[in-house]
């Protein structure tokens, strides 16, 4: 009983790592190549190769060390590279109006002037 519960947990963990890698790969494919250079990140082919290898490892190679290395690469892409690419390519980045960071709910803050 305990062993089957652990097996279910590890299967869900492997599935989650695969989903994160696939989502990161899709975002890497969608982004423009020049946005990587403008954001001063690694090139698009670099990220496509790293994330593609991560997906292949998660699907076919049951080596936890390689899967964890791929998870780290996927997280780095999602947390560091993707927001930089979105900012450079005109993505809204989570703000509704897409304005300055000093904008309040009724417009820009002018410092009490």
């Amino acid at each position: 009983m305990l062993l089957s519960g652990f097996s279910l947990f590890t299967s869900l963990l492997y599935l989650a790592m695969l989903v994160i890698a696939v989502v990161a790969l899709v975002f890497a494919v969608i982004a423009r190549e020049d946005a990587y250079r403008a954001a001063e990140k690694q090139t698009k082919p670099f990220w496509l190769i790293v994330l593609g290898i991560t997906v292949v490892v998660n699907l076919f190679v049951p080596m936890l060390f390689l899967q964890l290395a791929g998870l780290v690469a996927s997280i780095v892409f999602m947390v560091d590279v993707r927001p930089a690419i979105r900012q450079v390519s005109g993505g809204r980045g989570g703000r509704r109006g897409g304005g300055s960071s000093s904008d309040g709910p009724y417009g820009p803050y002018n410092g009490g002037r």
Side-chain angles (χ1 to χ4, degrees), residues 71-89:
L71 178 65
V72 169
S74 300
I75 291 172
V76 166
F77 180 83
M78 295 295 286
V79 173
D80 182 42
V81 177
R82 183 172 176 250
I85 291 171
R86 285 184 64 190
Q87 184 179 14
V88 169
S89 62

Side-chain angles (χ1 to χ4, degrees), residues 45-64:
F46 171 83
W47 283 109
L48 292 178
I49 290 169
V50 168
L51 296 172
I53 289 172
T54 299
V55 170
V56 169
V57 164
N58 279 319
L59 284 174
F60 301 113
V61 183
M63 293 182 67
L64 184 60

Side-chain angles (χ1 to χ4, degrees), residues 102 108-113:
S102 64
Y109 177 70
N110 62 7
R113 293 181 251 169

Side-chain angles (χ1 to χ4, degrees), residues 6-79:
F6 182 72
S7 175
L8 176 66
F9 173 74
T10 57
S11 297
L12 291 176
L13 183 66
Y14 291 146
L15 179 64
M17 288 192 294
L18 175 64
V19 167
I20 291 170
V22 168
V23 168
L25 180 62
V26 168
F27 283 135
V29 168
I30 291 172
R32 295 188 342 239
E33 197 276 328
D34 60 334
Y36 288 88
R37 284 180 280 139
E40 298 180 353
K41 300 297 177 185
Q42 291 289 334
T43 63
K44 183 174 183 172
F46 171 83
W47 283 109
L48 292 178
I49 290 169
V50 168
L51 296 172
I53 289 172
T54 299
V55 170
V56 169
V57 164
N58 279 319
L59 284 174
F60 301 113
V61 183
M63 293 182 67
L64 184 60
F65 176 76
L66 293 177
Q67 290 172 325
L68 290 176
L71 178 65
V72 169
S74 300
I75 291 172
V76 166
F77 180 83
M78 295 295 286
V79 173

